[in-house]
Amino acid sequence: MFPKPGFPALTACLCLLLLAGCSDGGPSDPVGELPELPEWDGRREFAATLTFAGRERSFIGHLPLSYDHERRVPLLLAYHGSGMTAELMRQVTGLDWIANDHDFAVIYPDASDGFFPTPCPGCNNEGRDGFEEIDFAREIIRWTSSTYAVHPDSVYATGFSMGGFFINYLGCAPDAPVRGIAPVAAGARDDFDGFCTAFRPRPSVLIVHALQDFVTPIEGGPTTMSIPELAERWRTHGRCGSGATEWEYPSGAVGLPTVQAKRWDGCAGEGPVRLDVIDGAGHWWVTTSDNPNGVDIGETIADYFFPLDP
């Protein structure tokens, strides 16, 4: 899917939503020793093409301005929507600039054949294997943490639209390689609960969805659950408390967009489960350039997973 004409530059491609929040802390101590790193060429932008499962797969990445090749930093994987590319995801989200402020690395995987397949047995993925895509996420993390000073135990993922559908499953896979997920404008199939049942621990979750998203309706569809139901499934799987904290932001907003946030704490997994519903946006990635209230998806993701020191 491609941007509608008339949206500002950074909003120009099917993208949406926002987030804000809390984090489960910094990198955990890895099991065993981390690999010795090769010499760094000093560049903060990089690209790689790997042969994986018989096909060439590529991704692009960015290291924060503070990067020194000695202190390991966390990593955010950012999955694009159907019909997009890694470079378009980079341009639309502005995550490189946000990573500079919040001191994390970001990688944008390129989908094979244009979309990221959903890893469930009953899914129609045009012959693609979604479980292979989960394995490729592990390979990205392995390659990055053995090439750059990125912490393999502090990896998070966000995804827009079909990329967001994928990371719901990535976060629920056996031995999931991510500590937190932030699906944007994305849901899950109605058989997601069966896929997710047996595996723990659960990641920290932030679901962001626009009330006026008519591409991926908040009430769900014939084969997909509603977004509130998805949040409840994550709350149940994460064994979070049933009582939620609710608030609206940004404070002092004039008109739309505004965000209704709900967070469940006391979880047995990595962190809380949170649902942010934006009133006044559709199926796109909201940035500060798009609205007078300063709602910005990337900034909120960073605040949630990589908060700045007070």
Side-chain angles (χ1 to χ4, degrees):
M1 307 158 94
F2 287 88
K4 298 180 181 178
F7 284 108
L10 282 181
T11 314
C13 128
L14 49 242
C15 311
L16 125 132
L17 295 67
L18 175 163
L19 320 90
C22 31
S23 166
D24 59 341
S28 61
D29 291 332
V31 177
E33 293 185 6
L34 293 175
E36 184 176 345
L37 299 175
E39 186 176 351
W40 178 41
D41 62 11
R43 292 183 293 182
R44 288 182 167 79
E45 314 302 318
F46 60 90
T49 298
L50 309 178
T51 299
F52 186 82
R55 62 167 63 94
E56 288 192 342
R57 299 296 306 274
S58 61
F59 50 90
I60 56 177
H62 172 79
L63 304 171
L65 291 178
S66 60
Y67 182 82
D68 60 10
H69 209 55
E70 294 181 2
R71 180 182 57 88
R72 290 198 177 248
V73 297
L75 172 65
L76 179 70
L77 304 176
Y79 287 85
H80 64 72
S82 179
M84 295 173 66
T85 63
E87 181 58 39
L88 190 52
M89 185 71 172
R90 164 184 265 168
Q91 294 174 15
V92 167
T93 62
L95 282 169
D96 285 5
W97 301 100
I98 295 167
N100 290 339
D101 292 337
H102 287 259
D103 198 27
F104 63 90
V106 57
I107 280 182
Y108 308 87
D110 246 323
S112 175
D113 302 325
F115 73 102
F116 295 101
T118 308
C120 53
C123 294
N124 178 11
N125 289 317
E126 299 179 12
R128 303 265 308 289
D129 185 353
F131 294 94
E132 176 187 304
E133 200 67 45
I134 291 176
D135 289 338
F136 184 58
R138 293 190 175 96
E139 178 63 12
I140 292 174
I141 295 166
R142 184 208 63 76
W143 182 92
T144 308
S145 61
S146 62
T147 307
Y148 299 104
V150 164
H151 204 297
D153 291 347
S154 190
V155 180
Y156 301 79
T158 187
F160 171 72
S161 193
M162 281 297 291
F165 269 81
F166 169 70
I167 68 162
N168 270 307
Y169 291 82
L170 176 68
C172 225
D175 300 318
V178 291
R179 296 183 66 183
I181 61 169
V184 175
R189 285 170 50 93
D190 51 17
D191 58 3
F192 176 70
D193 199 46
F195 176 88
C196 207
T197 298
F199 312 122
R200 299 187 184 277
R202 293 290 176 249
S204 176
V205 177
L206 173 57
I207 300 168
V208 183
H209 214 91
L211 197 59
Q212 294 83 12
D213 186 338
F214 301 116
V215 176
T216 307
I218 196 168
E219 64 269 20
T223 60
T224 58
M225 64 182 68
S226 73
I227 300 305
E229 184 181 4
L230 176 61
E232 175 61 19
R233 297 295 178 89
W234 274 116
R235 184 198 70 79
T236 301
H237 286 303
R239 291 177 288 175
C240 307
S242 57
T245 302
E246 299 186 44
W247 71 99
E248 182 177 306
Y249 69 92
S251 60
V254 178
L256 299 178
T258 57
V259 185
Q260 293 285 340
K262 180 183 291 189
R263 188 185 70 235
W264 293 268
D265 294 295
C267 309
E270 287 284 354
V273 171
R274 176 169 156 176
L275 171 62
D276 285 19
V277 176
I278 301 177
D279 187 3
H283 195 73
W284 64 86
W285 187 287
V286 175
T287 70
T288 52
S289 65
D290 305 327
N291 66 93
N293 289 338
V295 173
D296 190 292
I297 295 171
E299 288 286 359
T300 311
I301 290 174
D303 287 342
Y304 192 74
F305 292 138
F306 317 109
L308 298 173
D309 293 332

